[in-house]
């Protein structure tokens, strides 16, 4: 309810600050910088699913960027770890900081890492603690285990914290019971651990979360996105805070009428109850519908309501929305970073440049981890604001 009245107001409001983009490639400072090139004896696809984190809770390490990814080692990848790379210059150069090994299962940390820095203390963990969520999976892919690791020294050393969800065989087939793709966000003095869940026999896959106030004990599995048709598979949830206490969740939706794995999104005042919100397809003003492995961030630049930036799995371009996610207000801009499976986005200091991190494509033989920036601040002069309306 509130969503629609707010958007109605926002739509009228935003007409005074229309954003103008040139049609040319938006070149940021960073043009496909290589973070890591795997040796040729790595197991194909070698790298995938890159994630980055901007540290900003500790004066000493503020503005350091950390990166991680799925890392398919040689020797058939028997005990993979999540690498932690570091950049001290905004993403231009990179070096290794640490490796996060599986400390409890003997399976390796194999798929879908996610990095997060606590902005508030939770349980025994102080603000500035670095968290790493990920999927621990044995080499034969027979089980999936979503985990939480923590570093209290900015990512140099790591300790296992807790198990969140255990699932079956690590294949995305309906009828199997894996868990996938964690994403973390603090809310109301808790940590929300979002993930994809195939364990509920009513749904091929659904999106869920669990919350914890101490990172050790976790509440029940709560549905975020479910569809009545068994074969439908919402997946890969990413959540960002928006102005006015709202949150956006993007996800890919196998079952969408627009296209398989269409990028969908929901807006909610309560990031623990996206289930009550309507799912919208992301349809751009040029008619395009992005699909596959979306990611989103919000940045305050680009208009009075800031800018939502959405990446997808099938295009180099990103989609922008200056109107808090209003349907019909999505535009597409070029980037220099090619499409990757589950590219990630991160707002850089200054908030105009978004760092896009890619780990290559599914099955790719020559994948490497690269980053590029895209400047989402409109370049041509904006129309003068209509002061009378404000
Ligand atoms: C805009 O970009 C598209 C795609 O790169 C290109 O085909 C088109 O010619 C460009 N239009 C102008 C006016 O430059
Ligand atoms: C894989 O390649 C790297 C770099 O060329 C080399 O250092 C390493 O020994 C190789 N490992 C195996 C098992 O061949
Ligand atoms: C990888 O696994 C295949 C099939 O199981 C096997 O033939 C091959 O020897 C293994 N390679 C290494 C380096 O362990
Ligand atoms: C926090 O640390 C204290 C002191 O080491 C310990 O007694 C307590 O069990 C810890 N709490 C949690 C939730 O780990
Ligand atoms: C925050 O958490 C408290 C304690 O669990 C709960 O009572 C309250 O409803 C929550 N507030 C919101 C806005 O979710
Ligand atoms: C979630 O939403 C669906 C409709 O999309 C509804 O059938 C279901 O009851 C809801 N679940 C909860 C826990 O509210
Ligand atoms: C990967 O790189 C090698 C060497 O540059 C090249 O021969 C091969 O065709 C590439 N494979 C793909 C799938 O692009």
């Amino acid at each position: 309810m509130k969503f629609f009245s707010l958007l109605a107001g926002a739509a009228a409001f935003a007409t005074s600050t229309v954003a103008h983009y040139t049609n040319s490639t938006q070149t940021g400072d960073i043009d496909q910088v290589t973070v890591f090139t795997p040796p040729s004896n790595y197991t194909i696809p070698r790298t995938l699913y890159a994630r980055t984190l901007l540290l900003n809770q500790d004066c000493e390490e503020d503005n350091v960027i950390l990166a991680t990814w799925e890392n398919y080692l040689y020797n058939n990848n028997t005990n993979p770890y999540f690498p932690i790379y570091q950049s001290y210059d905004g993403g231009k150069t990179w070096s290794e900081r640490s490796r996060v090994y599986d400390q409890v299962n003997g399976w390796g940390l194999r798929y879908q890492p996610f990095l997060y820095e606590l902005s508030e203390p939770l349980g025994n963990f102080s603000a500035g603690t670095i968290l790493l969520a990920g999927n621990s999976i044995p080499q034969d892919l027979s089980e999936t285990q979503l985990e939480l690791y923590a570093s209290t020294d900015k990512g140099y050393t790591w300790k296992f914290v807790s198990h969140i969800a255990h699932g079956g065989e690590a294949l995305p087939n309906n009828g199997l019971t894996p868990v996938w793709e964690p994403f973390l966000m603090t809310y109301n003095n808790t940590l929300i651990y979002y993930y994809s869940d195939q364990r509920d026999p009513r749904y091929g896959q659904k999106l869920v979360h669990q919350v914890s106030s101490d990172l050790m004990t976790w509440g029940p599995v709560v549905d975020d996105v479910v569809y009545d048709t068994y074969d439908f598979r919402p997946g890969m949830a990413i959540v960002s805070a928006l102005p006015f206490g709202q949150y956006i969740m993007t996800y890919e939706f196998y079952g969408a009428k627009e296209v398989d794995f269409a990028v969908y999104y929901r807006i909610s005042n309560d990031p623990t109850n996206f289930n009550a919100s309507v799912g919208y397809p992301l349809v751009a003003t040029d008619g395009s519908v992005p699909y596959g492995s979306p990611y989103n961030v919000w940045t305050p630049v680009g208009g009075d309501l800031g800018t939502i930036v959405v990446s997808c799995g099938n295009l180099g371009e990103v989609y922008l929305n200056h109107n808090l996610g209003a349907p019909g207000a999505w535009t597409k801009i070029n980037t220099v970073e090619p499409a990757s499976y589950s590219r990630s986005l991160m707002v850089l200091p200054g908030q105009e440049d978004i760092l896009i991190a890619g780990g290559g494509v599914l099955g790719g033989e020559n994948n490497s981890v690269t980053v590029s920036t895209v400047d989402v601040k409109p370049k041509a002069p904006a129309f003068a604001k209509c002061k009378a309306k404000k």
Side-chain angles (χ1 to χ4, degrees):
M1 289 293 198
K2 191 166 176 208
F3 171 52
F4 290 104
S5 55
L6 179 62
L7 284 181
F13 186 53
T15 50
S16 60
T17 54
V18 175
H20 288 265
Y21 295 90
T22 63
N23 191 34
S24 62
T25 298
Q26 308 277 309
T27 46
D29 291 326
I30 298 177
D31 180 354
Q32 262 196 282
V33 161
T34 300
V35 178
F36 174 70
T37 305
S40 59
N41 57 19
Y42 260 42
T43 306
I44 285 172
R46 299 183 180 154
T47 62
L48 280 178
Y49 204 98
R51 294 288 180 270
T52 59
L53 171 69
L54 178 69
L55 303 185
N56 64 10
Q57 296 295 321
D58 174 335
C59 295
E60 228 172 279
E61 293 270 307
D62 273 0
N63 300 325
V64 172
I65 305 170
L66 301 183
T68 190
W69 54 86
E70 293 182 5
N71 194 42
Y72 296 79
L73 298 166
Y74 64 86
N75 197 22
N76 289 344
N77 211 16
T78 50
N79 185 28
Y81 59 86
F82 292 139
I84 303 294
Y85 270 52
Q86 60 188 0
S87 175
Y88 285 90
D89 55 9
K92 295 187 183 74
T93 61
W94 294 85
S95 58
E96 186 170 353
R97 173 165 290 201
S98 64
R99 301 176 175 189
V100 192
Y101 283 98
D102 174 5
Q103 296 172 7
V104 288
N105 304 319
W107 298 343
L109 292 174
R110 193 171 299 270
Y111 289 172
Q112 301 144 0
F114 181 76
L115 281 166
Y116 191 73
E117 184 179 37
L118 279 183
S119 55
E120 56 187 273
L122 278 181
N124 284 350
F125 297 91
S126 55
T129 300
I130 313 298
L131 302 179
L132 178 69
N135 209 338
S136 179
I137 297 173
Q139 193 189 2
D140 66 4
L141 308 184
S142 57
E143 296 178 66
T144 44
Q145 177 67 59
L146 295 181
E147 308 288 59
L148 187 67
Y149 282 75
S151 172
T152 55
D153 61 3
K154 297 293 160 190
Y156 289 97
T157 63
W158 295 86
K159 279 213 171 77
F160 171 77
V161 178
S162 55
H163 297 299
I164 288 76
H166 177 255
E169 194 174 353
L171 292 172
N173 306 343
N174 289 338
L176 300 180
T177 56
V179 287
W180 307 113
E181 299 149 0
F183 180 86
L184 306 176
M185 188 181 76
T186 49
Y187 172 70
N188 192 21
N189 305 310
T190 64
L191 185 72
I192 309 178
Y193 196 115
Y194 296 96
Y195 57 97
S196 308
D197 190 349
Q198 294 191 213
R199 297 171 302 177
D200 185 337
R202 292 173 296 172
Y203 310 106
Q205 179 171 283
K206 63 181 182 177
L207 295 174
V208 302
H209 70 265
Q210 292 178 244
V211 301
S212 177
S213 54
D214 61 8
L215 312 189
M216 305 296 291
T217 56
W218 293 88
V221 177
V222 177
D223 290 350
D224 292 315
V225 180
V226 298
Y227 287 100
D228 288 339
T229 303
Y230 174 84
D231 287 346
F232 288 5
R233 294 174 60 89
M236 306 188 111
I238 304 290
V239 179
S240 296
L242 301 176
F244 308 117
Q246 301 221 299
Y247 295 85
I248 181 170
M249 171 184 277
T250 52
Y251 55 101
E252 62 173 30
F253 178 23
Y254 179 81
K257 63 180 189 302
E258 293 80 15
V259 60
D260 287 349
F261 300 105
V263 174
Y264 265 61
Y265 65 101
R266 295 180 176 206
I267 310 273
S268 179
N269 297 320
D270 179 353
T272 65
N273 192 22
F274 282 105
N275 190 61
S277 298
V278 179
Y280 293 98
L282 194 166
V283 181
T285 49
D286 67 357
S288 62
V289 181
Y291 59 86
S293 55
Y295 205 97
N296 78 73
V297 288
W298 179 84
T299 172
V301 309
D304 295 314
L305 303 173
T307 305
I308 300 170
V309 187
V310 174
S311 172
C312 66
N314 70 306
L315 293 172
E317 289 93 333
V318 292
Y319 289 82
L320 307 183
N321 191 306
H322 303 289
N323 205 354
L324 301 178
W330 294 96
T331 55
K332 188 169 76 177
I333 63 166
N334 291 332
T335 82
V336 295
E337 180 68 24
S340 274
Y341 173 68
S342 195
R343 287 195 320 189
S344 62
L345 304 175
M346 191 200 85
V347 181
L348 283 161
Q351 304 183 309
E352 294 179 12
D353 285 319
I354 308 299
L355 189 75
I356 310 173
V361 296
L362 286 174
E365 288 177 19
N366 292 323
N367 285 353
S368 60
V369 180
T370 57
V371 293
S372 304
T373 48
V374 57
D375 183 345
V376 298
K377 188 152 192 216
K379 285 296 150 296
F383 287 132
K385 288 181 186 177
C386 177
K387 295 198 173 64
K389 277 191 181 170
K390 293 183 80 179

